[in-house]
Amino acid sequence: MQVLNSCPCGAIDKAINVKGSNMGSQGKKRGAKSSTASQMLSYRDCCQLLHEGQPAHSAEALMRSRYTAYALGLRDYLIHSWHPDYCPATLTLPIETKWRQLIINSQREQGDEGEVSFTAIYSQHDRWYRLEEASRFKKYHQHWKYTDGDAQWLEWQPGQNQPCPCGSGKKFKRCCK
């Protein structure tokens, strides 16, 4: 298995901003942090926990873990995280798709139902696309599961001076163009 420095979902460890706290945003105990700036969670401290069987604590956490599963090609996890009443009979993950960035636009939970609106940037065959979706989730045996969503698949062209969606910190024109 590949070692990832930061989780593909882009989750930020907000708990390190709390003075004296050593709890991560996934509720996992961690070592003391001296920095006051937020930093991205590692895959090990974020989505890998869910990929290995820990239940998601929220619809958003499940959404992030599913995005990461798409990015890493974890087909079995995607099927496992789908509500059984909505899961497709087959699921094919195109190997040429490179998921580059996840942006959570909004999220809400009410009782056993939730919705997460997001934008995902990806590339395929040297072209760029944007998936905009409002995903719906339901609890099934007290665990969040994906049901379905309203999606728009759009072609996308990043601006030359925009930050590259791959997360390198470089401008798009000097990176993944």
Side-chain angles (χ1 to χ4, degrees):
M1 172 176 256
Q2 68 189 61
V3 176
L4 302 172
N5 291 332
S6 59
C7 192
C9 79
I12 302 294
D13 186 350
K14 297 173 186 151
I16 64 172
N17 289 324
V18 179
K19 191 173 183 177
S21 173
N22 66 344
M23 293 298 286
S25 64
Q26 297 286 336
K28 185 178 178 195
K29 200 155 180 94
R30 306 136 93 70
K33 303 277 187 182
S34 58
S35 172
T36 57
S38 295
Q39 69 183 53
M40 290 180 66
L41 287 169
S42 69
Y43 172 64
R44 184 195 69 212
D45 290 335
C46 190
C47 291
Q48 184 176 3
L49 299 169
L50 280 66
H51 294 162
E52 292 176 348
Q54 178 177 311
H57 67 277
S58 67
E60 181 182 340
L62 183 63
M63 171 57 238
R64 288 181 175 280
S65 73
R66 286 179 55 81
Y67 170 85
T68 299
Y70 274 104
L72 299 178
L74 304 177
R75 183 186 165 282
D76 290 345
Y77 177 78
L78 290 165
I79 290 170
H80 171 75
S81 63
W82 227 302
H83 191 290
D85 294 343
Y86 298 83
C87 190
T90 61
L91 178 63
T92 303
L93 303 178
I95 59 171
E96 64 276 359
T97 301
K98 306 291 183 226
W99 294 95
R100 305 295 188 154
Q101 184 179 33
L102 174 66
I103 302 159
I104 302 294
N105 300 318
S106 66
Q107 63 87 28
R108 67 166 186 77
E109 291 176 13
Q110 189 168 19
D112 289 347
E113 296 186 1
E115 183 174 294
V116 179
S117 174
F118 69 93
T119 302
I121 306 296
Y122 67 100
S123 61
Q124 191 175 57
H125 301 295
D126 295 326
R127 297 187 73 144
W128 288 85
Y129 300 92
R130 183 176 82 225
L131 165 61
E132 294 182 3
E133 183 172 328
S135 293
R136 289 179 285 276
F137 300 84
K138 287 185 182 178
K139 284 193 176 178
Y140 179 76
H141 298 295
Q142 283 91 44
H143 298 283
W144 286 107
K145 299 289 183 178
Y146 172 75
T147 59
D148 60 3
D150 298 319
Q152 286 187 304
W153 302 83
L154 307 163
E155 202 163 337
W156 184 66
Q157 180 57 50
Q160 296 294 307
N161 291 318
Q162 280 186 289
C164 190
C166 76
S168 68
K170 297 178 184 176
K171 290 183 179 182
F172 176 71
K173 68 182 176 186
R174 301 200 187 279
C175 194
C176 292
K177 181 177 177 184

